[in-house]
Short mmCIF file of all heavy atoms in Angstrom, two decimals:
data_model
loop_
_atom_site.label_atom_id
_atom_site.label_comp_id
_atom_site.label_asym_id
_atom_site.label_seq_id
_atom_site.Cartn_x
_atom_site.Cartn_y
_atom_site.Cartn_z
N HIS A 1 7.91 -18.87 0.35
CA HIS A 1 6.52 -18.52 0.65
C HIS A 1 5.59 -19.14 -0.37
O HIS A 1 5.98 -19.45 -1.49
CB HIS A 1 6.34 -17.00 0.66
CG HIS A 1 6.68 -16.34 -0.63
ND1 HIS A 1 7.99 -16.08 -1.03
CD2 HIS A 1 5.89 -15.90 -1.66
CE1 HIS A 1 7.99 -15.50 -2.21
NE2 HIS A 1 6.72 -15.38 -2.63
N SER A 2 4.33 -19.31 0.04
CA SER A 2 3.27 -19.73 -0.87
C SER A 2 2.17 -18.68 -0.83
O SER A 2 2.05 -17.92 0.14
CB SER A 2 2.73 -21.11 -0.49
OG SER A 2 2.18 -21.08 0.82
N LEU A 3 1.34 -18.65 -1.87
CA LEU A 3 0.29 -17.64 -1.99
C LEU A 3 -1.05 -18.32 -2.26
O LEU A 3 -1.12 -19.30 -2.99
CB LEU A 3 0.60 -16.67 -3.14
CG LEU A 3 1.94 -15.94 -3.11
CD1 LEU A 3 2.13 -15.14 -4.39
CD2 LEU A 3 2.03 -15.03 -1.90
N ARG A 4 -2.09 -17.77 -1.63
CA ARG A 4 -3.46 -18.20 -1.92
C ARG A 4 -4.30 -16.96 -2.17
O ARG A 4 -4.13 -15.95 -1.47
CB ARG A 4 -4.04 -19.01 -0.76
CG ARG A 4 -5.41 -19.59 -1.04
CD ARG A 4 -5.80 -20.62 0.02
NE ARG A 4 -6.11 -19.99 1.29
CZ ARG A 4 -7.33 -19.59 1.65
NH1 ARG A 4 -8.35 -19.74 0.81
NH2 ARG A 4 -7.54 -19.04 2.83
N PHE A 5 -5.19 -17.03 -3.16
CA PHE A 5 -5.93 -15.84 -3.59
C PHE A 5 -7.41 -16.02 -3.29
O PHE A 5 -8.02 -17.03 -3.68
CB PHE A 5 -5.67 -15.59 -5.07
CG PHE A 5 -4.22 -15.42 -5.39
CD1 PHE A 5 -3.45 -16.49 -5.81
CD2 PHE A 5 -3.60 -14.20 -5.22
CE1 PHE A 5 -2.10 -16.35 -6.07
CE2 PHE A 5 -2.24 -14.03 -5.47
CZ PHE A 5 -1.49 -15.11 -5.90
N ILE A 6 -7.98 -15.03 -2.60
CA ILE A 6 -9.39 -15.06 -2.20
C ILE A 6 -10.13 -13.97 -2.96
O ILE A 6 -9.76 -12.79 -2.88
CB ILE A 6 -9.55 -14.86 -0.69
CG1 ILE A 6 -8.81 -15.98 0.07
CG2 ILE A 6 -11.01 -14.83 -0.28
CD1 ILE A 6 -7.53 -15.58 0.71
N GLY A 7 -11.15 -14.36 -3.71
CA GLY A 7 -11.82 -13.41 -4.58
C GLY A 7 -11.03 -13.22 -5.87
O GLY A 7 -9.99 -13.86 -6.08
N ALA A 8 -11.51 -12.35 -6.74
CA ALA A 8 -10.78 -12.03 -7.96
C ALA A 8 -9.68 -11.03 -7.61
O ALA A 8 -9.96 -9.91 -7.19
CB ALA A 8 -11.72 -11.43 -8.99
N VAL A 9 -8.44 -11.45 -7.75
CA VAL A 9 -7.28 -10.66 -7.29
C VAL A 9 -6.55 -10.06 -8.48
O VAL A 9 -6.16 -10.77 -9.41
CB VAL A 9 -6.31 -11.52 -6.46
CG1 VAL A 9 -5.06 -10.73 -6.10
CG2 VAL A 9 -6.98 -12.05 -5.21
N GLN A 10 -6.38 -8.76 -8.43
CA GLN A 10 -5.47 -8.06 -9.34
C GLN A 10 -4.21 -7.75 -8.54
O GLN A 10 -4.23 -6.88 -7.66
CB GLN A 10 -6.10 -6.78 -9.87
CG GLN A 10 -7.30 -7.00 -10.77
CD GLN A 10 -7.90 -5.69 -11.24
OE1 GLN A 10 -7.93 -4.70 -10.51
NE2 GLN A 10 -8.39 -5.66 -12.46
N ALA A 11 -3.14 -8.46 -8.82
CA ALA A 11 -1.89 -8.29 -8.08
C ALA A 11 -0.90 -7.50 -8.93
O ALA A 11 -0.67 -7.84 -10.10
CB ALA A 11 -1.30 -9.64 -7.70
N ARG A 12 -0.34 -6.48 -8.34
CA ARG A 12 0.70 -5.68 -8.99
C ARG A 12 1.94 -5.77 -8.12
O ARG A 12 1.96 -5.30 -6.98
CB ARG A 12 0.24 -4.22 -9.15
CG ARG A 12 -1.07 -4.07 -9.94
CD ARG A 12 -0.91 -4.57 -11.36
NE ARG A 12 -2.15 -4.51 -12.15
CZ ARG A 12 -2.94 -5.55 -12.39
NH1 ARG A 12 -2.62 -6.74 -11.90
NH2 ARG A 12 -4.02 -5.42 -13.12
N THR A 13 2.97 -6.43 -8.65
CA THR A 13 4.14 -6.78 -7.86
C THR A 13 5.37 -6.01 -8.31
O THR A 13 5.63 -5.89 -9.52
CB THR A 13 4.42 -8.29 -7.95
OG1 THR A 13 3.28 -9.01 -7.47
CG2 THR A 13 5.63 -8.68 -7.13
N LEU A 14 6.11 -5.50 -7.34
CA LEU A 14 7.41 -4.90 -7.59
C LEU A 14 8.49 -5.85 -7.10
O LEU A 14 8.49 -6.26 -5.93
CB LEU A 14 7.55 -3.57 -6.84
CG LEU A 14 6.59 -2.45 -7.19
CD1 LEU A 14 6.89 -1.22 -6.34
CD2 LEU A 14 6.66 -2.10 -8.68
N PHE A 15 9.39 -6.24 -7.99
CA PHE A 15 10.57 -7.00 -7.60
C PHE A 15 11.72 -6.01 -7.44
O PHE A 15 11.97 -5.19 -8.34
CB PHE A 15 10.89 -8.06 -8.65
CG PHE A 15 9.86 -9.14 -8.72
CD1 PHE A 15 8.82 -9.07 -9.64
CD2 PHE A 15 9.91 -10.22 -7.85
CE1 PHE A 15 7.85 -10.06 -9.69
CE2 PHE A 15 8.93 -11.21 -7.90
CZ PHE A 15 7.91 -11.13 -8.82
N VAL A 16 12.39 -6.07 -6.30
CA VAL A 16 13.31 -5.00 -5.90
C VAL A 16 14.67 -5.59 -5.53
O VAL A 16 14.76 -6.54 -4.74
CB VAL A 16 12.75 -4.22 -4.68
CG1 VAL A 16 13.68 -3.06 -4.32
CG2 VAL A 16 11.34 -3.71 -4.98
N ASP A 17 15.71 -5.02 -6.08
CA ASP A 17 17.07 -5.38 -5.69
C ASP A 17 17.25 -5.04 -4.22
O ASP A 17 17.06 -3.89 -3.80
CB ASP A 17 18.07 -4.60 -6.55
CG ASP A 17 19.52 -4.97 -6.25
OD1 ASP A 17 19.78 -5.65 -5.24
OD2 ASP A 17 20.39 -4.54 -7.03
N SER A 18 17.60 -6.02 -3.41
CA SER A 18 17.72 -5.80 -1.97
C SER A 18 18.79 -4.80 -1.60
O SER A 18 18.79 -4.25 -0.49
CB SER A 18 18.00 -7.14 -1.26
OG SER A 18 16.95 -8.05 -1.49
N LEU A 19 19.71 -4.55 -2.51
CA LEU A 19 20.78 -3.59 -2.25
C LEU A 19 20.47 -2.20 -2.82
O LEU A 19 21.31 -1.31 -2.76
CB LEU A 19 22.10 -4.10 -2.84
CG LEU A 19 22.58 -5.46 -2.31
CD1 LEU A 19 23.88 -5.86 -3.00
CD2 LEU A 19 22.75 -5.42 -0.80
N ALA A 20 19.26 -2.02 -3.37
CA ALA A 20 18.91 -0.73 -3.97
C ALA A 20 18.83 0.37 -2.91
O ALA A 20 19.06 1.55 -3.23
CB ALA A 20 17.58 -0.84 -4.71
N ARG A 21 18.47 0.01 -1.69
CA ARG A 21 18.48 0.92 -0.55
C ARG A 21 18.97 0.13 0.65
O ARG A 21 18.59 -1.01 0.86
CB ARG A 21 17.09 1.48 -0.25
CG ARG A 21 16.55 2.46 -1.28
CD ARG A 21 17.31 3.79 -1.23
NE ARG A 21 16.72 4.79 -2.11
CZ ARG A 21 16.99 4.92 -3.40
NH1 ARG A 21 17.84 4.05 -3.98
NH2 ARG A 21 16.45 5.87 -4.13
N ALA A 22 19.81 0.75 1.46
CA ALA A 22 20.40 0.04 2.60
C ALA A 22 19.39 -0.28 3.67
O ALA A 22 19.57 -1.23 4.45
CB ALA A 22 21.54 0.88 3.19
N ASP A 23 18.29 0.48 3.76
CA ASP A 23 17.35 0.33 4.86
C ASP A 23 15.97 -0.15 4.41
O ASP A 23 14.96 0.20 5.00
CB ASP A 23 17.20 1.64 5.64
CG ASP A 23 16.86 2.83 4.74
OD1 ASP A 23 16.90 2.66 3.51
OD2 ASP A 23 16.57 3.91 5.29
N LEU A 24 15.92 -0.98 3.37
CA LEU A 24 14.66 -1.62 3.01
C LEU A 24 14.24 -2.58 4.13
O LEU A 24 15.09 -3.10 4.86
CB LEU A 24 14.81 -2.39 1.69
CG LEU A 24 14.97 -1.53 0.43
CD1 LEU A 24 15.34 -2.41 -0.76
CD2 LEU A 24 13.70 -0.74 0.14
N PRO A 25 12.92 -2.82 4.31
CA PRO A 25 12.48 -3.69 5.40
C PRO A 25 13.15 -5.06 5.35
O PRO A 25 13.34 -5.64 4.28
CB PRO A 25 10.97 -3.80 5.17
CG PRO A 25 10.61 -2.55 4.43
CD PRO A 25 11.78 -2.26 3.55
N ALA A 26 13.49 -5.57 6.54
CA ALA A 26 14.19 -6.85 6.63
C ALA A 26 13.26 -8.00 7.00
O ALA A 26 13.69 -9.16 7.03
CB ALA A 26 15.32 -6.75 7.66
N GLN A 27 11.98 -7.70 7.30
CA GLN A 27 11.03 -8.72 7.72
C GLN A 27 9.80 -8.72 6.81
O GLN A 27 9.46 -7.70 6.21
CB GLN A 27 10.58 -8.46 9.17
CG GLN A 27 11.72 -8.35 10.17
CD GLN A 27 12.47 -9.65 10.36
OE1 GLN A 27 11.88 -10.73 10.22
NE2 GLN A 27 13.75 -9.58 10.68
N CYS A 28 9.13 -9.87 6.74
CA CYS A 28 7.83 -9.92 6.07
C CYS A 28 6.85 -9.04 6.85
O CYS A 28 6.84 -9.07 8.09
CB CYS A 28 7.30 -11.35 6.03
SG CYS A 28 8.28 -12.49 5.07
N GLN A 29 6.03 -8.29 6.15
CA GLN A 29 5.05 -7.44 6.82
C GLN A 29 3.97 -6.99 5.85
O GLN A 29 4.24 -6.73 4.68
CB GLN A 29 5.73 -6.22 7.46
CG GLN A 29 6.63 -5.43 6.53
CD GLN A 29 7.63 -4.55 7.27
OE1 GLN A 29 8.12 -4.89 8.33
NE2 GLN A 29 7.91 -3.40 6.70
N VAL A 30 2.73 -6.92 6.36
CA VAL A 30 1.63 -6.33 5.59
C VAL A 30 1.70 -4.83 5.78
O VAL A 30 1.89 -4.33 6.89
CB VAL A 30 0.26 -6.87 6.07
CG1 VAL A 30 -0.87 -6.21 5.30
CG2 VAL A 30 0.20 -8.38 5.89
N VAL A 31 1.56 -4.09 4.68
CA VAL A 31 1.81 -2.65 4.73
C VAL A 31 0.67 -1.87 4.07
O VAL A 31 -0.04 -2.38 3.21
CB VAL A 31 3.14 -2.30 4.04
CG1 VAL A 31 4.32 -2.91 4.77
CG2 VAL A 31 3.12 -2.74 2.58
N GLN A 32 0.55 -0.64 4.51
CA GLN A 32 -0.37 0.29 3.88
C GLN A 32 0.27 0.84 2.60
O GLN A 32 1.47 1.14 2.58
CB GLN A 32 -0.69 1.44 4.85
CG GLN A 32 -1.73 2.41 4.35
CD GLN A 32 -3.13 1.80 4.36
OE1 GLN A 32 -3.32 0.70 4.82
NE2 GLN A 32 -4.09 2.53 3.84
N ILE A 33 -0.50 0.95 1.54
CA ILE A 33 -0.03 1.52 0.28
C ILE A 33 -0.62 2.92 0.17
O ILE A 33 -1.83 3.09 0.06
CB ILE A 33 -0.46 0.66 -0.92
CG1 ILE A 33 0.06 -0.77 -0.78
CG2 ILE A 33 0.03 1.29 -2.23
CD1 ILE A 33 1.56 -0.91 -0.82
N SER A 34 0.24 3.92 0.19
CA SER A 34 -0.22 5.30 0.11
C SER A 34 -0.74 5.60 -1.30
O SER A 34 -0.36 4.92 -2.26
CB SER A 34 0.91 6.26 0.45
OG SER A 34 1.90 6.23 -0.57
N PRO A 35 -1.59 6.61 -1.44
CA PRO A 35 -2.04 6.99 -2.80
C PRO A 35 -0.86 7.30 -3.72
O PRO A 35 -0.89 6.96 -4.91
CB PRO A 35 -2.90 8.22 -2.54
CG PRO A 35 -3.43 8.03 -1.15
CD PRO A 35 -2.30 7.37 -0.40
N LEU A 36 0.19 7.93 -3.18
CA LEU A 36 1.36 8.25 -4.00
C LEU A 36 2.03 6.98 -4.50
O LEU A 36 2.31 6.84 -5.69
CB LEU A 36 2.36 9.08 -3.19
CG LEU A 36 3.72 9.33 -3.85
CD1 LEU A 36 3.57 10.06 -5.18
CD2 LEU A 36 4.66 10.08 -2.90
N LEU A 37 2.28 6.02 -3.59
CA LEU A 37 2.95 4.79 -3.99
C LEU A 37 2.08 4.00 -4.96
O LEU A 37 2.59 3.41 -5.92
CB LEU A 37 3.29 3.94 -2.76
CG LEU A 37 4.04 2.64 -3.06
CD1 LEU A 37 5.31 2.89 -3.85
CD2 LEU A 37 4.33 1.89 -1.75
N ARG A 38 0.76 3.98 -4.75
CA ARG A 38 -0.12 3.27 -5.67
C ARG A 38 0.02 3.81 -7.09
O ARG A 38 0.15 3.05 -8.06
CB ARG A 38 -1.57 3.40 -5.20
CG ARG A 38 -2.55 2.66 -6.10
CD ARG A 38 -3.98 2.75 -5.58
NE ARG A 38 -4.47 4.12 -5.60
CZ ARG A 38 -4.78 4.83 -4.52
NH1 ARG A 38 -4.62 4.31 -3.31
NH2 ARG A 38 -5.24 6.06 -4.61
N GLU A 39 0.03 5.14 -7.24
CA GLU A 39 0.17 5.73 -8.57
C GLU A 39 1.56 5.49 -9.14
O GLU A 39 1.72 5.28 -10.35
CB GLU A 39 -0.14 7.23 -8.50
CG GLU A 39 -1.58 7.56 -8.14
CD GLU A 39 -2.58 6.89 -9.08
OE1 GLU A 39 -2.33 6.89 -10.30
OE2 GLU A 39 -3.59 6.36 -8.59
N LEU A 40 2.57 5.50 -8.28
CA LEU A 40 3.93 5.22 -8.75
C LEU A 40 4.05 3.79 -9.26
O LEU A 40 4.73 3.53 -10.27
CB LEU A 40 4.94 5.47 -7.63
CG LEU A 40 5.21 6.94 -7.27
CD1 LEU A 40 6.01 7.02 -5.97
CD2 LEU A 40 5.96 7.65 -8.41
N ILE A 41 3.41 2.84 -8.55
CA ILE A 41 3.45 1.45 -8.99
C ILE A 41 2.82 1.32 -10.38
O ILE A 41 3.38 0.68 -11.28
CB ILE A 41 2.73 0.55 -7.98
CG1 ILE A 41 3.52 0.45 -6.67
CG2 ILE A 41 2.52 -0.86 -8.56
CD1 ILE A 41 2.79 -0.26 -5.55
N LEU A 42 1.66 1.94 -10.56
CA LEU A 42 1.00 1.87 -11.86
C LEU A 42 1.86 2.52 -12.95
O LEU A 42 1.95 2.02 -14.07
CB LEU A 42 -0.37 2.55 -11.78
CG LEU A 42 -1.38 1.88 -10.85
CD1 LEU A 42 -2.68 2.69 -10.79
CD2 LEU A 42 -1.67 0.46 -11.29
N THR A 43 2.49 3.64 -12.61
CA THR A 43 3.33 4.34 -13.58
C THR A 43 4.57 3.53 -13.94
O THR A 43 5.07 3.60 -15.08
CB THR A 43 3.75 5.71 -13.02
OG1 THR A 43 2.59 6.46 -12.69
CG2 THR A 43 4.58 6.50 -14.03
N SER A 44 5.07 2.74 -12.99
CA SER A 44 6.31 2.00 -13.23
C SER A 44 6.18 0.99 -14.37
O SER A 44 7.19 0.59 -14.96
CB SER A 44 6.74 1.27 -11.95
OG SER A 44 5.84 0.23 -11.62
N PHE A 45 4.96 0.59 -14.71
CA PHE A 45 4.78 -0.37 -15.80
C PHE A 45 5.15 0.23 -17.16
O PHE A 45 5.40 -0.50 -18.11
CB PHE A 45 3.34 -0.89 -15.82
CG PHE A 45 3.06 -1.88 -14.73
CD1 PHE A 45 2.53 -1.46 -13.52
CD2 PHE A 45 3.34 -3.22 -14.90
CE1 PHE A 45 2.28 -2.36 -12.50
CE2 PHE A 45 3.08 -4.14 -13.89
CZ PHE A 45 2.56 -3.70 -12.69
N SER A 46 5.17 1.55 -17.25
CA SER A 46 5.53 2.20 -18.51
C SER A 46 7.01 2.56 -18.58
O SER A 46 7.47 3.10 -19.59
CB SER A 46 4.69 3.46 -18.70
OG SER A 46 4.98 4.42 -17.70
#
């Protein structure tokens, strides 16, 4: 994949072991980020 950024982008990326869960999504998809997941992502940096 390639990426292009429109506007000033603050990207917070999770790299995930594909075997960490058996039923992780198998296709590329744009997804909604719940308030819970957003806070968990920010917390994961610590």
